Amino acid sequence: MDIIEIAYIEGDGSGEDIWRASKGIFEEAVLRAYGGEKSIRWINLIAGQKSLDKEGVLLPEETLKTIKNKKCAIKGPLTTPVGGGFRSVNVYLRQVFDLYVCMRPIRYFSGLPSPLKRPNGIDLIIFRENTEDIYKGIEWQEGTEEARRFIDFIREKSGIEISYDSGIGIKPISKRGTQRFTKWVIEYAIKNKRKSITVVHKGNIMKYTEGSFRQWALETGKEFHEYIRFEDEKPQEAIEDTRIVMNDRIADNMFMQIILKPQDYDILLCPNLNGDYLSDACAGLIGGLGVAPGANIGDDVAIFEPTHGSAPKYAGKDMINPTSFILSGALMFRYLGLEKVAHLIEDAVQKTIQSKIVTYDLARSMDGITPVKCSKFGEEVTKRIVENS
Ligand code: NAP
C-alpha cells in the first residue's frame, strides 16, 4: 500500500473539535479514491497555545523542521495570546516559509444560507499577497522612544508634522514581491482555465504602495499577452478570444461590486490587507467563516488552513462548523496531485449540505433546521464519501 505522510497541527480552541470531525473524512476519501491502495500516515505537530503551555514556546523547532522536510502541512486555527508582545504564529509561519500566495476560494454550495438573492454560481478565488504590506509587523507604539525617533526623522527629512501621540506602522510593498505573486496567480489562472483576474487596490490614495502594486501587477500581466487581454482591449475578431481578461478595481468599489454582482468576478488579486478584509466579507456571501477554506503557498512549502480563528467560546462543545477545515483538506489533496480525493470530499460536503445537515452557524439562518454537532456533520460527510465511491 502507498503511504502518504501528512503533517498536521490540530490547533487551539475549537481546533480539536474540527480535527476530530475531519480526520476520518480525509482517511476514508484517500482509501476510497484509490480502491484501498493508498492511505495516510499522520505526523502530529504542535504549535500555538498548546505548545506554549507544554514547551514554553509558541512554535517549537521540531514543528518548523518537520514542515520544512515534508513540504506540506494542514493546520487548525492557532490562538495568538492577547498582550505580552506575542506575534501571530499564523503570520510567522507564512513569513518563515515565504508562503507568499494565500488562496481563499469562495464557492457557493447549493443549500447554504446567503444574504444574496441569487448566490448560485458564485465561484471566485481571492489571492492575497501573504508576506508584505502592514502584515510585515513593522510597528511602534505611541509614546515609545522608537516612535518619537521616527516622527523626528520624518519631520527632519520632509517637514511633515506627525503628532507625537501617534502610533506608527510601515506598509512595505515591493516590486519583486508583487511580480512573483502575480506571476504565480496568472500561471494558476492559465492552468485552471479561469476567466478573469481583477487587481484590487487603493492606489488612488496609497500611490507608492497599492498604486505601485496595481502597476507592477498589470505590467506582469502584459508579459503573458498570449493568454491575457486587458479590459479595454478589443477581443480578437477572427477567432473566439478565450484569453483571461485582466482589469483592476479600487478596493472600496470592489466591496460594493462583490456584493451586487459577485458572478462577474473570478480571481481577485489583492495586497495583504485588502485580501484579508475581502476574504471574510466574501465568506459572508456563501455561509460565513465556517465554510471558507484557505491555503498558504510558497515555492517550497504549502500550509493549508481554514480562514477562521480558534473560536475559543465554542472549544470542546462539539458545535463548530468543520467545513472550512474539511475543504482546506480538499485543497491540500489537489495540491498534492490527488484530485480524486479532493473531488470526493467536495462532492460529499455538497451532498451533506443539500440534505440540510448543517451545524449551528448555518442552521440559525435557515428556517426549521435543527443543527447537528460538529462530529455528526463529519460522520455524515464520511457516509456520503462511502456511498459515492
Ligand atoms: P474566530 O476564531 O474566527 O471567531 C469569530 C467568530 O466567527 C466566532 O465567534 C463564530 O461566530 C464565527 N466562526 C469562526 N469559526 C467558525 C466555525 N468554524 N464555525 C462557525 N462559526 C465560526 O475569530 P476571533 O474570535 O477573533 O479569534 C480567536 C483566536 O483565533 C485569536 O487568538 C486569533 O488571533 C486567532 N486567529 C487565528 C487564525 C488562524 O489560525 N489562521 C485566524 C484568525 C484568528 P459566532 O459567535 O457568531 O457563531
Side-chain angles (χ1 to χ4, degrees):
M1 180 182 287
D2 186 11
I3 304 288
I4 308 161
E5 285 195 317
I6 301 178
Y8 77 98
I9 299 170
E10 192 174 84
D12 295 320
S14 315
E16 284 181 35
D17 301 275
I18 290 170
W19 169 250
R20 269 197 298 272
S22 310
K23 179 174 176 274
I25 295 174
F26 299 151
E27 290 170 355
E28 198 63 48
V30 167
L31 272 177
R32 298 274 163 176
Y34 297 99
E37 280 175 12
K38 289 187 197 290
S39 75
I40 303 177
R41 182 186 298 136
W42 296 107
I43 304 170
N44 181 16
L45 304 175
I46 65 166
Q49 189 66 49
K50 231 174 261 157
S51 163
L52 190 66
D53 297 342
K54 205 169 152 200
E55 302 191 7
V57 287
L58 279 171
L59 195 55
E61 270 306 309
E62 188 56 32
T63 296
L64 285 173
K65 218 169 82 186
T66 308
I67 296 176
K68 191 166 183 230
N69 279 340
K70 297 294 166 199
K71 297 184 179 298
C72 178
I74 184 162
K75 67 174 270 295
L78 297 173
T79 297
T80 304
V82 176
F86 292 107
R87 290 185 67 196
S88 161
V89 181
N90 305 300
V91 175
Y92 182 71
L93 277 170
R94 292 167 200 164
Q95 288 178 349
V96 80
F97 290 118
D98 201 15
L99 307 176
Y100 58 92
V101 178
C102 176
M103 179 184 187
R104 301 256 169 97
I106 303 290
R107 172 176 163 199
Y108 181 73
F109 285 94
S110 165
L112 284 170
S114 169
L116 300 178
K117 271 194 202 147
R118 286 180 291 275
N120 281 317
I122 297 182
D123 181 14
L124 51 94
I125 308 177
I126 297 169
F127 282 101
R128 164 185 169 195
E129 202 292 328
N130 222 8
T131 57
E132 302 197 316
D133 205 341
I134 55 166
Y135 284 77
K136 200 89 185 169
I138 313 169
E139 286 193 306
W140 296 288
Q141 195 178 355
E142 170 268 325
T144 58
E145 180 54 26
E146 290 86 352
R148 170 173 281 279
R149 281 219 304 266
F150 188 85
I151 290 167
D152 286 342
F153 174 79
I154 295 291
R155 179 182 294 130
E156 273 165 34
K157 295 287 173 198
S158 65
I160 295 170
E161 294 283 344
I162 299 175
S163 167
Y164 278 115
D165 61 354
S166 305
I168 301 287
I170 304 269
K171 180 183 174 75
I173 292 188
S174 72
K175 189 172 184 176
R176 175 184 165 267
T178 305
Q179 285 173 337
R180 69 171 180 170
F181 168 62
T182 307
K183 189 167 175 284
W184 195 100
V185 174
I186 291 175
E187 282 168 356
Y188 175 93
I190 294 169
K191 197 166 154 209
N192 291 280
K193 301 192 172 21
R194 302 298 301 207
K195 293 187 289 290
S196 70
I197 299 175
T198 303
V199 183
V200 183
H201 61 92
K202 190 72 187 162
N204 51 333
I205 304 297
M206 294 173 272
K207 296 184 190 304
Y208 303 121
T209 49
E210 302 213 359
S212 298
F213 178 88
R214 169 190 175 275
Q215 179 197 330
W216 296 324
L218 294 177
E219 279 169 8
T220 307
K222 281 189 188 143
E223 290 168 24
F224 290 84
H225 57 88
E226 224 181 291
Y227 300 98
I228 285 186
R229 79 176 163 88
F230 290 88
E231 197 172 37
D232 53 3
E233 207 179 302
K234 274 197 181 153
Q236 287 167 353
E237 278 171 10
I239 48 157
E240 192 197 354
D241 195 340
T242 54
R243 286 179 298 169
I244 298 161
V245 176
M246 197 163 182
N247 53 23
D248 74 289
R249 297 285 181 272
I250 291 179
D252 32 357
N253 176 26
M254 189 71 239
F255 273 87
M256 182 189 68
Q257 297 278 335
I258 211 66
I259 291 166
L260 294 181
K261 25 182 199 168
Q263 286 87 350
D264 284 5
Y265 292 90
D266 188 26
I267 281 180
L268 306 185
L269 185 98
C270 311
N272 211 336
L273 183 63
N274 291 343
D276 197 4
Y277 291 156
L278 265 173
S279 311
D280 280 26
C282 289
L285 303 179
I286 54 147
L289 283 181
V291 298
N296 303 289
I297 304 167
D299 290 335
D300 298 321
V301 170
I303 300 180
F304 297 80
E305 63 173 349
T307 303
H308 60 77
S310 54
K313 69 178 173 181
Y314 297 113
K317 293 188 178 160
D318 197 15
M319 268 180 86
I320 203 85
N321 189 349
T323 305
S324 170
F325 189 76
I326 296 168
L327 294 176
S328 301
L331 289 182
M332 175 183 73
F333 288 116
R334 187 164 286 125
Y335 174 85
L336 292 172
L338 305 172
E339 175 60 38
K340 275 196 213 165
V341 182
H343 185 74
L344 263 184
I345 294 171
E346 287 167 351
D347 200 47
V349 166
Q350 169 67 92
K351 291 195 165 111
T352 308
I353 292 167
Q354 256 170 347
S355 309
K356 299 193 186 314
I357 296 166
V358 293
T359 45
Y360 84 93
D361 53 315
L362 302 177
R364 68 187 169 191
S365 316
M366 297 160 79
D367 291 332
I369 300 292
T370 308
V372 297
K373 286 183 177 298
C374 174
S375 53
K376 175 71 176 166
F377 184 84
E379 286 162 21
E380 292 289 333
V381 175
T382 308
K383 198 170 100 186
R384 283 162 180 79
I385 288 176
V386 174
E387 285 167 4
N388 294 348
S389 53

